Amino acid sequence: GTLATNSVTAAKLKSDAITGADLPSGSILQVVTAAITGTTNSSSQTYVASVMNIAITPTLATSRILVMVTGGMNGFAGGSGGQEGRIKLYKDVAGGGYSVVENSTRGLQSFYKTSPDDYDGVAIHYYDDPNTTSTITYNFYILRQSGNGTFSINRDGNGRMNITAFEIAHDS
């Protein structure tokens, strides 16, 4: 049979009538987003934490997390040409300490500059399979691989950067 028009209203549904586990793979279960207003400057040749971080607590252990960061004025302040900066994604699960999420040589984004004071935006998307319902904090770490300038993220703090984490349903 069919239901009469307006026979099912939001008021008639139980609050737990449909859960994340009931939704098909690919459904967005939650979105956490934040504007980044701080700045990270580093001359380190080892990876250091940046202002690009966000926390999310998955509702299902089978969920995937899509982390995205965009925008900003990023690159090298001062120094000479031939400078390279790299960005890698790290995560901390339930306060257990940060570990690298991907292990490529150049990271998820590299900046190679032939002159000082040369800046670009960041545009990174990473799809993670964390297999947990504990809180995950993602942080994009940076390093100055070469050159003698300072690698800057959101250099003057006046640029607009956004970071977003999506929990996406996934069949196990």
Side-chain angles (χ1 to χ4, degrees):
T2 60
L3 294 173
T5 302
N6 297 322
S7 64
V8 177
T9 64
K12 292 180 182 177
L13 292 176
K14 289 178 57 181
S15 63
D16 63 349
I18 298 174
T19 67
D22 297 322
L23 296 173
S25 186
S27 297
I28 296 176
L29 303 180
Q30 67 172 309
V31 178
V32 179
T33 190
I36 299 169
T37 57
T39 300
T40 302
N41 299 302
S42 179
S43 297
S44 176
Q45 289 190 295
T46 58
Y47 281 96
V48 297
S50 77
V51 295
M52 300 180 293
N53 63 77
I54 196 159
I56 188 169
T57 305
T59 57
L60 301 171
T62 56
S63 294
R64 302 300 191 257
I65 305 295
L66 175 62
V67 183
M68 299 169 45
V69 63
T70 58
M73 181 175 158
N74 313 288
F76 287 90
S80 58
Q83 304 184 94
E84 183 184 1
R86 297 176 181 174
I87 301 174
K88 283 192 172 209
L89 182 60
Y90 284 65
K91 72 179 173 185
D92 172 83
V93 179
Y98 280 96
S99 60
V100 69
V101 173
E102 59 82 34
N103 60 3
S104 64
T105 301
R106 297 198 185 277
L108 294 171
Q109 187 165 352
S110 289
F111 292 84
Y112 184 78
K113 299 300 176 183
T114 57
S115 61
D117 302 320
D118 190 0
Y119 301 97
D120 285 317
V122 167
I124 298 172
H125 304 138
Y126 189 83
Y127 195 60
D128 191 24
D129 179 8
N131 193 31
T132 187
T133 56
S134 297
T135 299
I136 308 163
T137 302
Y138 291 95
N139 192 311
F140 290 91
Y141 278 50
I142 66 170
L143 92 117
R144 184 191 76 196
Q145 175 63 28
S146 60
N148 58 0
T150 300
F151 187 36
S152 299
I153 298 297
N154 208 27
R155 178 158 190 269
D156 59 7
N158 292 324
R160 173 76 182 203
M161 293 188 81
N162 291 297
I163 188 165
T164 305
F166 299 83
E167 179 184 3
I168 301 172
H170 187 272
D171 296 334
S172 51

